[in-house]
């Protein structure tokens, strides 16, 4: 894996760098304005799936600041990642990363968005998805708790249906007993797989397979 500094000052961690198409994992955020971190869920998914898809470059985005109070900044970081890669890209947005991915979906190299428990607030314009595709994977037991970000199925489904009313093609899939993502990180930095992590991995893998097939 190689870490590349983007024009905005954000970082993109890359594997399978020379592949002709890419999947970029876009991180979630917090209410507090804090420096960007690597996403535990994205890291687990990339570690598990990159060896299975050598035809795809895998990028993990670390924002300059990871907060939903600076969405424009996060979107600028995501656009910088797309500009750097310069190839057909599937955006895989986790939690707040769903909003960020949708916000930059109009970019010429963004072919589609895969939202993982995506936050899709009503104020977010969805026009950039027109002519593209939005797929959603959502943990059935996901909820926002005091001090712990989460996205309920009702919330992500509402955003998905907004896109469908614009004519956007896609799918919405619940992961039974799934929580908010596939992994969390210990203070030591080690990843801890959440219950149903394998279902998240396989669900993302199926959609990567579809994306890969379209690039051939």
């Amino acid at each position: 894996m190689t870490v590349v500094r983007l024009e905005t000052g954000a970082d993109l961690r890359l594997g399978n760098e020379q592949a002709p198409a890419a999947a970029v994992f876009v991180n979630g955020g917090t209410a507090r304005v804090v420096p960007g971190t690597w996403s535990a869920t994205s890291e687990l998914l990339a570690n598990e799936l990159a060896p299975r898809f050598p035809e795809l470059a895998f990028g993990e985005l670390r924002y300059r600041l990871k907060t939903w109070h600076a969405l424009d900044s996060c979107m600028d970081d995501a656009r910088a990642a797309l500009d750097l890669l310069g190839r057909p890209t599937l955006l895989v947005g986790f939690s707040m990363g769903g909003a960020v991915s949708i916000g930059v979906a109009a970019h010429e190299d963004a072919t589609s968005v895969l939202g993982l428990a995506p936050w899709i607030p009503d104020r977010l314009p969805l026009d950039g998805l027109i002519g593209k595709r939005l797929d959603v994977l959502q943990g059935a037991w996901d909820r926002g708790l005091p001090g712990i970000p989460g996205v309920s199925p009702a919330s992500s489904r509402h955003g998905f249906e907004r896109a469908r009313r614009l004519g956007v093609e896609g799918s919405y899939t619940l992961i039974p007993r799934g929580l908010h993502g596939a992994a969390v990180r210990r203070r030591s930095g080690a990843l801890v797989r959440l219950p149903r992590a394998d279902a998240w991995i396989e669900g993302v893998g199926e959609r990567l397979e579809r994306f890969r097939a379209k690039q051939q």
Side-chain angles (χ1 to χ4, degrees), residues 58-77:
F58 278 70
E60 300 168 60
L61 178 63
R62 180 168 64 183
Y63 309 120
R64 290 163 290 168
L65 299 172
K66 66 163 200 175
T67 174
W68 50 76
H69 296 300
L71 270 182
D72 287 345
S73 169
C74 296
M75 289 178 189
D76 287 343
D77 293 341

Side-chain angles (χ1 to χ4, degrees), residues 91-171:
L91 293 165
V92 185
F94 171 56
S95 195
M96 184 194 79
V100 175
S101 297
I102 290 169
V104 302
H107 192 285
E108 62 181 359
D109 291 326
T111 67
S112 51
V113 172
L114 171 57
L116 310 180
W119 177 55
I120 311 174
D122 283 344
R123 68 177 183 273
L124 180 70
L126 306 184
D127 300 20
L129 288 170
I130 294 174
K132 303 192 178 183
R133 183 178 178 92
L134 172 65
D135 293 295
V136 173
L137 289 176
Q138 171 70 52
W141 287 0
D142 193 351
R143 298 289 187 279
L145 300 171
I148 303 176
V151 176
S152 71
S155 175
S156 62
R157 183 83 200 197
H158 175 71
F160 176 76
E161 293 299 338
R162 283 179 58 212
R164 292 289 292 147
R165 287 194 291 273
L166 291 176
V168 176
E169 295 185 357
S171 64

Side-chain angles (χ1 to χ4, degrees), residues 182-213:
V184 294
R185 195 182 302 278
R186 296 186 190 276
R187 290 187 177 182
S188 67
L191 297 181
V192 178
R193 295 163 71 104
L194 292 173
R196 305 310 316 278
D198 286 346
W200 285 102
I201 293 166
E202 292 311 309
V204 174
E206 289 173 7
R207 285 145 185 88
L208 289 175
E209 180 60 49
R210 180 192 301 156
F211 171 65
R212 176 173 65 177

